[in-house]
Amino acid sequence: MAQDRHHRSTDLLRRLQQGLQLTGWPVYVKRLLNWPATTHDAHLSRLAIAAAKLILLTGSFSRDISHWVFLTGRLYLVLRQGYIITIPVFGNRMHKQIELERRFGACNYHPLPVVLTHGDGCYVWDTDGKQYLDMMSAYSAVSHGHCHPRLLQTLEEQAGRLSVVSRAFYSDRLGAFLQRACELSRMDKALPTNTGVEAVETALKAARKWAYEVKGVATDAAEIIVCRGNFHGRTLAAISMSSEPEYRKNFGPFTPGFRVIDYADTAALEAAINSNTAAFLVEPVQGEGGINVPPRGYLTSCADICRRNNVLLICDEIQTGLGRTGRFLASDHEDVQPDGVILGKALGGGVYPVSLFLARRDILDLFQPGDHGSTFGGNPLAAAVGLEALNVLLEEGLIENSALMGEHLRAGLHALDSPLITDVRGQGLLVGFEIDATRVTARTVCEHLMDSGILTKETHETVVRLTPPLIIDREMIDSALVTIGDTLATLTK
Ligand SMILES: Cc1ncc(COP(=O)(O)O)c(C=O)c1O
């Protein structure tokens, strides 16, 4: 039903646009009003604002309007001069959800104004039944696609059997999951957590413990080296490592013991190491930092420097791991064997939070009962889902597909040859393109892509990320490239 409704409305929109193009008019869709735009709006009456915007708009353009159509929650005004103006005037259901979220939820995110109700594979649908290609994948957590049948089945079966027992007892699920994760990442042991940042915290604690108990660093003197532009999560320790002022403002005082060096700078790493250095924590490709791919050989050199200086190399593969870059781990591209690896996001198969810190036996064996833990970490439901997520990844060829489709996507972006794109970067299906900030923001590009049926989100002001589920196929990418090309062409005018 919803799909039918969607097809009818997109068809109508397509015909409307095609019709206008046939007349030879310079058609483009320009968002003049951005509703709902600011958090202040939430305090005012929705109707009053919508009415004010409409009066304002029609007041200034009324003589120019030749047609109007209301479609998928938006009012399209066709001007005689050949322009279309779109005003997002959401239907009651859609708008109510945004209003509710804003009124009762902390505004610690800036979502695009779309309310999603369901997903299937690479697609999601909003409350009006409009279909979108998901090129965001929940910050790479939905690599298997939405509602993967095998993962849903595992989730349902395990939830009906046993979900949470805490680590006060053993379960018949955790061991097998940890074994598979260790084998695939060539690590000896793993410590299960829920969210990625908890696994990062675990890695930091393990590195400090190793520095004091093995390396012989003086009490409370351990240092961990991290990179400028890193993203390791949002806890106090994680933002204490961050070089991003926005993440840190008014959250001090910060956790001491971190040194920040430039990313992809091996000389800086060598120079920053001293006798107190416990570990170097690095993302093989910086995701949130702007899809920054270091030069080939960087990780190999880092591993070499760390080994020579008795410093642990810990790779945060929460975003880059599990096939996202076209190999099981991004560090596999250079056959680097880190001392510790952090996994999360896609490990939960897009249905449940599952994360791990994996490391050498001599590092994780330092933890004693009571040293560290989490009530939900490693519960049977998480373990069952995590194991199935790994199995699906391998058995359904998602990693190979990521490598192939990533190459195809990047080649297609280059071929667009848009003056708005200043750079295309990525590895596998962790792809981003840099936007010429003097002409348009990445946010505006994402808003226009949303209108055209592609969902993604900017990282920083200038990078549009494209990180679809790893099950995406060539036809979907080709169609996305057409949409991206048209959108950029529209914004170039
Ligand atoms: C590289 C990296 N590390 C850590 C995190 C934090 O993970 P979570 O949001 O699950 O805590 C993220 C999340 O985006 C990430 O990309």
Side-chain angles (χ1 to χ4, degrees):
M1 267 287 282
Q3 255 174 303
D4 260 19
R5 195 145 49 91
H6 158 70
H7 286 314
R8 265 184 277 124
S9 25
T10 42
D11 196 47
L12 185 58
L13 179 59
R14 200 172 305 120
R15 275 190 287 128
L16 179 74
Q17 289 183 325
Q18 277 167 356
L20 286 166
Q21 260 147 15
L22 282 180
T23 66
W25 289 352
V27 176
Y28 71 88
V29 179
K30 190 170 167 64
R31 179 187 297 273
L32 285 187
L33 295 177
N34 195 4
W35 159 266
T38 68
T39 46
H40 305 297
D41 288 353
H43 301 300
L44 301 172
S45 146
R46 174 175 65 84
L47 273 178
I49 294 171
K53 284 181 173 177
L54 274 177
I55 289 164
L56 244 171
L57 197 76
T58 49
S60 20
F61 288 100
S62 54
R63 263 177 290 126
D64 303 313
I65 295 170
S66 64
H67 300 88
W68 63 271
V69 60
F70 184 73
L71 211 60
T72 59
R74 287 171 174 74
L75 180 65
Y76 291 81
L77 301 174
V78 183
L79 302 191
R80 292 183 199 287
Q81 293 87 343
Y83 298 115
I84 300 179
I85 296 169
T86 86
I87 314 166
V89 183
F90 296 125
N92 274 347
R93 250 169 80 214
M94 179 178 277
H95 184 263
K96 191 161 174 10
Q97 296 310 320
I98 294 179
E99 199 177 70
L100 273 177
E101 219 178 281
R102 286 179 168 210
R103 183 167 337 144
F104 294 105
C107 292
N108 55 329
Y109 276 87
H110 185 202
L112 292 179
V114 57
V115 181
L116 302 174
T117 58
H118 62 289
D120 185 9
C122 292
Y123 294 102
V124 286
W125 284 265
D126 72 10
T127 44
D128 285 338
K130 178 176 172 181
Q131 176 181 281
Y132 301 85
L133 179 65
D134 183 359
M135 296 205 82
M136 176 74 191
S137 307
Y139 297 93
S140 299
V142 185
S143 287
H144 301 74
H146 294 275
C147 302
H148 192 290
R150 281 177 60 179
L151 288 158
L152 283 191
Q153 194 185 345
T154 302
L155 183 81
E156 280 170 18
E157 275 176 17
Q158 188 60 43
R161 229 158 57 91
L162 187 67
S163 293
V164 180
V165 289
S166 83
R167 299 284 303 282
F169 312 107
Y170 292 95
S171 82
D172 65 351
R173 285 285 174 259
L174 184 55
F177 166 50
L178 299 182
Q179 180 186 15
R180 187 83 174 119
C182 284
E183 282 166 3
L184 290 171
S185 50
R186 301 188 309 278
M187 290 286 155
D188 299 323
K189 287 198 162 201
L191 195 154
T193 66
N194 308 288
T195 60
V197 76
E198 286 172 72
V200 171
E201 292 269 345
T202 307
L204 298 176
K205 286 173 77 173
R208 284 183 171 185
K209 208 165 168 46
W210 175 85
Y212 300 128
E213 297 177 16
V214 178
K215 187 167 175 174
V217 172
T219 307
D220 291 349
E223 288 182 4
I224 291 169
I225 301 172
V226 296
C227 291
R228 199 158 280 115
N230 73 67
F231 186 83
H232 298 293
R234 301 290 196 151
T235 58
L236 274 176
I239 62 164
S240 298
M241 299 187 274
S242 176
S243 56
E244 190 62 48
E246 188 197 346
Y247 299 161
R248 295 164 58 97
K249 191 173 170 211
N250 291 335
F251 291 123
F254 298 104
T255 309
F258 299 112
R259 265 176 190 252
V260 183
I261 61 168
D262 280 347
Y263 188 58
D265 185 342
T266 47
L269 174 61
E270 191 110 46
I273 290 176
N274 61 42
S275 56
N276 291 332
T277 309
F280 175 47
L281 172 64
V282 65
E283 295 158 85
V285 175
Q286 286 188 333
E288 299 312 300
I291 323 286
N292 302 321
V293 186
R296 188 153 181 86
Y298 171 61
L299 218 53
T300 309
S301 302
C302 293
D304 181 49
I305 294 168
C306 288
R307 199 173 314 109
R308 276 194 282 109
N309 290 280
N310 196 24
V311 165
L312 302 179
L313 173 66
I314 300 177
C315 290
D316 181 345
E317 297 242 19
I318 288 173
Q319 186 148 179
T320 56
L322 305 176
R324 176 52 61 187
T325 70
R327 298 292 296 267
F328 181 72
L329 297 177
S331 47
D332 291 342
H333 285 283
E334 295 189 18
D335 284 328
V336 163
Q337 177 68 41
D339 303 293
V341 168
I342 312 169
L343 294 178
K345 292 191 191 281
L347 194 54
V351 294
Y352 198 81
V354 185
S355 303
L356 289 176
F357 172 56
L358 305 108
R360 286 199 323 253
R361 184 177 311 281
D362 59 305
I363 300 168
L364 275 177
D365 275 351
L366 297 172
F367 281 110
Q368 300 297 316
D371 279 353
H372 191 54
S374 144
T375 306
F376 282 85
N379 68 64
L381 187 54
V385 165
L387 179 59
E388 190 65 354
L390 290 172
N391 288 340
V392 169
L393 204 66
L394 274 94
E395 288 162 22
E396 299 190 359
L398 268 53
I399 303 173
E400 295 76 13
N401 194 55
S402 170
L404 285 173
M405 292 303 110
E407 229 176 277
H408 185 58
L409 177 58
R410 285 195 304 282
L413 288 169
H414 278 296
L416 290 180
D417 203 21
S418 165
L420 291 189
I421 298 183
T422 57
D423 193 21
V424 176
R425 302 191 283 268
Q427 212 172 32
L429 280 170
L430 182 57
V431 176
F433 61 90
E434 184 101 32
I435 287 291
D436 180 350
T438 60
R439 305 175 72 150
V440 66
T441 65
R443 168 90 187 184
T444 304
V445 173
C446 292
E447 285 172 351
H448 281 72
L449 285 175
M450 179 187 79
D451 286 341
S452 307
I454 291 181
L455 285 185
T456 189
K457 198 80 197 302
E458 75 281 3
T459 146
H460 296 284
E461 288 283 281
T462 55
V463 181
V464 176
R465 98 181 70 210
L466 297 174
T467 54
L470 306 186
I471 56 169
I472 196 163
D473 64 26
R474 196 170 282 266
E475 286 71 40
M476 291 179 200
I477 289 186
D478 288 342
S479 136
L481 284 166
V482 170
T483 305
I484 294 168
D486 289 350
T487 303
L488 293 176
T490 294
L491 286 163
T492 311
K493 282 178 188 159

